[in-house]
Amino acid sequence: MQTSARREANPEAAGLSRAPAGTGAPWRAARPAERLCHAVGVALVLSGLVHLVVYAVDGGPWDGPVSWRKPITFGLSFGLTLIALTWVTSYVRVGARLRAVLLVVFAADCVLEVGGITLQAWRRVPSHLNMETALDTAVSMSLAVGGGILVVLLTVFAVASFKRPPSGPTGMPLAVRAGFAVLLVALASGAAMIARGVALTKTGHQEVAYHSTAALKPLHGVSLHAVLVLPVLAWLMSRTAWSARTKERVMYAAVGGYAAAVLAVGAWAAVTY
């Protein structure tokens, strides 16, 4: 009993990730895996911004399977998600070594996804569901496999967040759990897009496959970033003098509002899918 109590008081001694104080562990106190993930996340965000400049200069369509939109949005989205997950998972009670391994693999997978999409954008060919040449097939399949790896990694973190209550200030445990729950919706919608596109491609409907994912993209995008938005709200409230009860009420309202938004976008996707 005493050993168990000491482990709860000192999660580091028990091999668990320790929630950072304040905004998160300062850069000088961050572990090597965290530093790596932050650096990679920043690089991916910068890649997205660079391609925004490229789009402004080169022009071209914003929508469609071949456009500068993909390296822009994927660079920004994957970069922000990697940075967010590195911070948010510090509140999840999971083994420190396991967390480090999962984060490094996640960072490598983010680079694979953004790198493949960026390569195809510069080649002026579709990145996903493109089986036209051997190289196109290799890139498309690597993106699909990378997506599967993302699902596994993020599911592990999600399960861990529900297995044991996350640490952190008032509202953070609910924010982390709700964020991961909504993130699972993003993963499911992403898998559905890939599955439908691959099925259409294999049956000879290549052009239809490129446009088959449009209905699910809003649902995928909205649900993807709850794991950042809700914990940030919890952290911001921790900087206020609000009572714990007020913070909890605000967080419940935020979770309810986010859930309503996801349901609304999901209903639209179900009608138009």
Side-chain angles (χ1 to χ4, degrees), residues 102-116:
L102 293 176
L103 286 177
V104 170
V105 174
F106 183 66
D109 207 12
C110 289
V111 172
L112 171 67
E113 294 288 316
V114 176

Side-chain angles (χ1 to χ4, degrees), residues 4 30 34 53 69 134 136 141 146 154-155 176 186 194 211 235 262:
S4 177
E34 293 173 329
V53 176
R69 168 185 55 82
D136 293 332
M141 293 305 297
L154 296 177
T155 300
V176 172
I194 293 174
H211 301 283
W235 174 78
V262 171

Side-chain angles (χ1 to χ4, degrees), residues 56-107:
V57 174
D58 186 59
W62 178 257
D63 295 319
V66 181
S67 74
W68 293 116
R69 168 185 55 82
K70 283 195 169 184
I72 294 170
T73 57
F74 276 79
L76 294 175
S77 183
F78 271 93
L80 289 174
T81 300
L82 176 57
I83 294 170
L85 261 294
T86 303
W87 170 58
V88 170
T89 56
S90 66
Y91 295 108
V92 177
R93 296 181 184 275
V94 64
R97 290 183 180 179
L98 174 60
R99 173 175 172 257
V101 170
L102 293 176
L103 286 177
V104 170
V105 174
F106 183 66

Side-chain angles (χ1 to χ4, degrees), residues 18-81:
R18 175 173 55 84
T23 61
W27 178 259
R28 63 180 179 275
R31 298 183 180 89
E34 293 173 329
R35 292 189 179 190
L36 174 64
C37 290
H38 286 141
V40 172
V42 170
L44 294 177
V45 169
L46 290 176
S47 173
L49 294 176
V50 166
H51 284 90
L52 182 60
V53 176
V54 172
Y55 172 69
V57 174
D58 186 59
W62 178 257
D63 295 319
V66 181
S67 74
W68 293 116
R69 168 185 55 82
K70 283 195 169 184
I72 294 170
T73 57
F74 276 79
L76 294 175
S77 183
F78 271 93
L80 289 174
T81 300

